[in-house]
Amino acid sequence: MNFAFAQSCEQKNAEFELGCHSWTEITQALKEGSTTVIVPIGGTEQSGPYIAVDKHNRRVHYLAGEIARNLGGTFVAPVIAYVPEGSTNPRQSHMRFAGTLSIPPHVFAGLLEGIAESLKVQGFKTIVLLGDHGGYQKQLAQIAQSLNRKWQKEGAQARLLYVKNYYDVIPHSYAQLLAKKGLKPFLGQHADLSDTSLTLAVDPSLVRLKALKQAPKPGIADGVYGGDPRPASAEIGRWGIEMQLNEAVKAIRLFNRSHL
């Protein structure tokens, strides 16, 4: 039996992982100016028969590390894998499928607020909310707005940054690029060509590619909401991953220049 953790502190970008440092190392880094921290938010949800349910968590973990590497002076907090995914009674949205884990929106909000407050009191000045799943994007914006108002009244130096374009680039700029390349018929809303390609680009072990290529076109009953994932490839996914990386780095740099 293999007892190795899924994410090792010897892997790429582990030097930016909050969880791979002792408290004294983190304190010293804060004193030296590493006051930006990314809170990666994923989700555990079904994505059709051919993508593992850890898709969002692996993607946002990878991208948060790449963003931190580009920025420098940045930590990456552990991925939040538990998010609102729909009602459990009755079972709605992704909760209609096995493997999806859902928490109520108020619990999600409390979790994020607790994490943000914890990081603020330690001396982090820019706390970045990086969300990989569409269902909670509005809630992230609301939480950032609410906490920033509260912290300003308290005279705190810390600020929350919700990086809207990190997610928005996928259904907009990336989808437009794919359309220009003749791939629009394969685009849908979930577990489509885009979703599958992005996952292949980050962690191909999450995609049952051989089975997918041999399968008939999956549909809503399979958990695939529009489009067709079968032509997906890592190369197609890398275009979108690069867009997400660039948008996030640009947003955080601009924010830090304005607030630090």
Side-chain angles (χ1 to χ4, degrees), residues 7-252:
Q7 303 297 339
S8 167
C9 286
E10 295 180 350
Q11 291 182 353
K12 182 183 179 185
N13 292 333
E15 65 202 88
F16 306 107
E17 299 265 357
L18 197 73
C20 289
H21 293 77
S22 69
W23 76 265
T24 54
E25 292 167 343
I26 296 167
T27 300
Q28 185 60 36
L30 283 164
K31 289 178 180 178
E32 294 172 357
S34 295
T35 57
T36 296
V37 58
I38 299 170
V39 180
I41 306 161
T44 307
E45 66 177 28
Q46 74 83 24
S47 290
Y50 307 107
I51 304 178
V53 298
D54 208 31
K55 169 196 76 178
H56 281 307
N57 302 321
R58 301 285 182 92
R59 280 178 10 200
V60 78
H61 177 265
Y62 169 80
L63 273 158
E66 290 297 302
I67 293 163
R69 177 175 292 280
N70 275 265
L71 291 171
T74 301
F75 279 105
V76 177
V79 173
I80 298 175
Y82 303 99
V83 307
E85 294 282 4
S87 170
T88 57
N89 186 23
R91 291 172 65 176
Q92 295 177 337
S93 187
H94 296 309
M95 273 308 306
R96 295 180 295 117
F97 300 89
T100 303
L101 301 175
S102 185
I103 63 173
H106 74 275
V107 174
F108 181 59
L111 174 64
L112 290 177
E113 289 168 7
I115 291 168
E117 290 283 358
S118 297
L119 294 166
K120 180 198 74 170
V121 299
Q122 292 169 29
F124 286 100
K125 294 180 180 177
T126 300
I127 301 165
V128 180
L129 299 182
L130 195 75
D132 204 72
H133 169 49
Y136 49 62
Q137 295 294 320
K138 289 183 179 179
Q139 194 172 7
L140 294 185
Q142 292 167 356
I143 290 167
Q145 186 179 53
S146 174
L147 273 184
N148 279 329
R149 280 199 302 262
K150 176 176 178 286
W151 290 352
Q152 283 181 312
K153 288 180 180 178
E154 295 172 350
Q157 291 185 323
R159 294 291 182 270
L160 263 179
L161 170 62
Y162 158 56
V163 185
K164 185 175 186 291
N165 281 355
Y166 169 84
Y167 178 80
D168 279 359
V169 72
I170 296 303
H172 295 108
S173 299
Y174 180 49
Q176 291 166 11
L177 173 64
L178 296 182
K180 288 180 182 178
K181 292 182 176 292
L183 297 171
K184 187 174 182 178
F186 304 105
L187 299 180
Q189 294 181 321
H190 178 74
D192 61 345
L193 169 81
S194 169
D195 216 358
T196 308
S197 295
L198 291 168
T199 305
L200 282 168
V202 169
D203 188 347
S205 72
L206 297 176
V207 181
R208 315 301 184 241
L209 192 58
K210 184 177 179 181
L212 172 62
K213 297 294 186 182
Q214 297 173 349
K217 181 181 177 182
I220 294 176
D222 304 300
V224 179
Y225 304 154
D228 187 347
R230 292 177 297 176
S233 72
E235 180 184 4
I236 293 171
R238 281 190 286 271
W239 303 334
I241 293 297
E242 190 69 21
M243 286 181 171
Q244 288 188 288
L245 173 62
N246 291 338
E247 286 294 331
V249 169
K250 181 171 65 175
I252 297 168

